[in-house]
Amino acid sequence: VPPSMKRVQDLQLFAARKSSLISRPPPPISYTLEPVEGEARAMKFRAFFRHVGEGSVDPGVCAHPISTRGGSFNLELLEDGSICTELISPRPRETASAIAVKLMARFDDPNPPGIDACVLM
């Protein structure tokens, strides 16, 4: 294959992968947003996430904060099985959706290897 055709094939493969990422169905996690009352900031919200899957939530899901959209969000597992976090964002729905995507990965693997497993020695 000539080099120019190889580049075209690589670009087509990249575009196909990118479109498959964009067209993924939403994660099976629903959320609700509530403004935090008594806060001077109008952009502070409490987000409640509920996993649509069956069974109880593994506490390991909430063991570490979720990092997304430039922030780090501590997670709290509530008695009713929902997960709560507080966020400050001018676009709280987009932030909550990004957290939901990361939470879905946590449900798939609640206790991923730590940073030490990624270090080359």
Side-chain angles (χ1 to χ4, degrees):
V1 176
S4 60
M5 285 303 294
K6 175 75 171 129
R7 179 153 172 73
V8 169
Q9 289 173 344
D10 289 345
L11 289 173
Q12 288 172 339
L13 180 62
F14 173 75
R17 286 183 182 157
K18 186 174 181 181
S19 69
S20 71
L21 293 175
I22 293 170
S23 63
R24 284 188 299 195
I29 294 178
S30 63
Y31 65 86
T32 56
L33 290 168
E34 295 179 2
V36 175
E37 294 184 28
E39 282 293 322
R41 300 178 185 169
M43 297 184 293
K44 188 166 186 178
F45 293 86
R46 189 169 287 122
F48 298 91
F49 299 89
R50 178 166 293 286
H51 187 246
V52 179
E54 296 180 19
S56 61
V57 176
D58 184 333
V61 169
C62 299
H64 306 285
I66 284 188
S67 297
T68 188
R69 296 182 59 88
S72 181
F73 304 93
N74 292 319
L75 304 172
E76 178 184 357
L77 182 58
L78 304 177
E79 289 181 15
D80 67 355
S82 62
I83 296 171
C84 177
T85 190
E86 288 190 357
L87 55 101
I88 298 171
S89 175
R91 295 185 180 124
R93 287 189 181 123
E94 291 178 18
T95 303
S97 293
I99 294 170
V101 169
K102 297 276 188 156
L103 268 175
M104 195 60 237
R106 290 272 178 95
F107 280 110
D108 290 341
D109 186 6
N111 295 304
I115 191 69
D116 295 337
C118 300
V119 176
L120 297 175
M121 298 205 183

